[in-house]
Amino acid sequence: MKYKNVVFDFGNVIGKFDGNYILEQFCESKEDRDILYPVIFKNWAELDRGTIDYEANALEAEAGVPDRLKPTVRRFFRDWTSHVPPVEETYSLIRELKEQGYSLYLLSNAATYFAEWAAALDILKGFDGIVFSAPIRMAKPDAEIYQYLFQKYHLKPEECLFVDDLEQNIRAAEALGMDGIRFTGDTDAVRRMLAF
């Protein structure tokens, strides 16, 4: 087979990440969500990159909202990971790939808080290698995080298929010699790329 390894992103590939949906689980009022959203998600890219501290960011966000919303911000930063439901079709695909002898890897932008939470997920326990961005202070689509994955796990890019929901991340992978497919929820498209 052409590919020996399948490299997955997490958000919207293995687990559904929708900031609006997650925030709705903590706040019923649309008016309040309109206040909270830009404050809570303001530094999300920096959290993913590991350039700011998770707890310090949560405190900064809390300071940026009216007093009545401070408890909501605290609950959000403590419990938001509970509202990232699995993409069941991908779970099935992962089990199939493992049975067929593929090596599985994760390459995902995520804050340290999420990385620690996700490490306990059963679906990731069968993975051969996991790279989350914040703990190593690198993030997609920068080339260095892909190179880190290849070097850490001794992977040849041409033997890997990368599955990610963002086009810029796929393009970055392809520039380094790793084939990619933009994930839209169609696991059969991944199967076709793998020719089974």
Side-chain angles (χ1 to χ4, degrees):
M1 60 186 153
K2 178 180 180 185
Y3 303 110
K4 295 180 180 177
N5 315 297
V6 182
V7 181
F8 287 92
D9 174 36
F10 192 96
N12 296 319
V13 177
I14 293 175
K16 294 174 188 162
F17 180 85
D18 178 338
N20 286 307
Y21 166 80
I22 295 171
L23 191 51
E24 283 171 12
Q25 310 315 301
F26 295 89
C27 181
E28 292 182 6
S29 160
K30 182 180 184 316
E31 182 182 325
D32 286 348
R33 287 197 307 272
D34 288 344
I35 294 168
L36 290 166
Y37 191 97
V39 176
I40 283 176
F41 292 104
K42 174 184 168 192
N43 296 324
W44 212 257
E46 288 80 9
L47 286 172
D48 281 354
R49 195 169 284 282
T51 54
I52 57 173
D53 177 75
Y54 187 84
E55 296 301 331
N57 178 72
L59 290 171
E60 180 188 317
E62 190 181 327
V65 299
D67 286 349
R68 64 188 173 78
L69 294 176
K70 291 182 190 305
T72 304
V73 172
R74 279 195 295 275
R75 282 189 299 112
F76 179 92
F77 279 101
R78 188 182 63 234
D79 298 329
W80 72 268
T81 52
S82 303
H83 302 286
V84 180
V87 178
E88 296 293 352
E89 299 83 358
T90 306
Y91 272 47
S92 298
L93 175 64
I94 287 167
R95 287 189 285 267
E96 277 178 55
L97 295 176
K98 203 66 189 166
E99 286 169 10
Q100 294 191 18
Y102 287 94
S103 294
L104 304 180
Y105 296 89
L106 185 82
L107 180 64
S108 183
N109 286 354
T112 50
Y113 182 80
F114 184 85
E116 290 162 9
W117 172 82
L121 291 174
D122 284 343
I123 196 67
L124 296 186
K125 287 180 180 167
F127 274 51
D128 298 276
I130 293 175
V131 174
F132 280 113
S133 59
I136 58 169
R137 298 189 175 203
M138 303 175 189
K140 298 177 293 184
D142 294 348
E144 63 183 354
I145 195 169
Y146 298 88
Q147 290 162 343
Y148 178 90
L149 173 79
F150 301 147
Q151 290 162 10
K152 181 174 175 66
Y153 296 109
H154 310 289
L155 303 177
K156 296 178 179 175
E158 65 274 13
E159 294 178 348
C160 300
L161 177 66
F162 183 44
V163 184
D164 193 294
D165 66 314
L166 297 178
E167 189 64 39
Q168 66 265 29
N169 295 342
I170 296 295
R171 284 198 301 269
E174 291 171 342
L176 295 168
M178 177 166 60
D179 286 346
I181 179 169
R182 182 171 170 264
F183 188 72
T184 60
D186 182 1
T187 51
D188 285 337
V190 180
R191 290 182 180 90
R192 285 192 294 274
M193 285 283 288
L194 295 166
F196 77 89

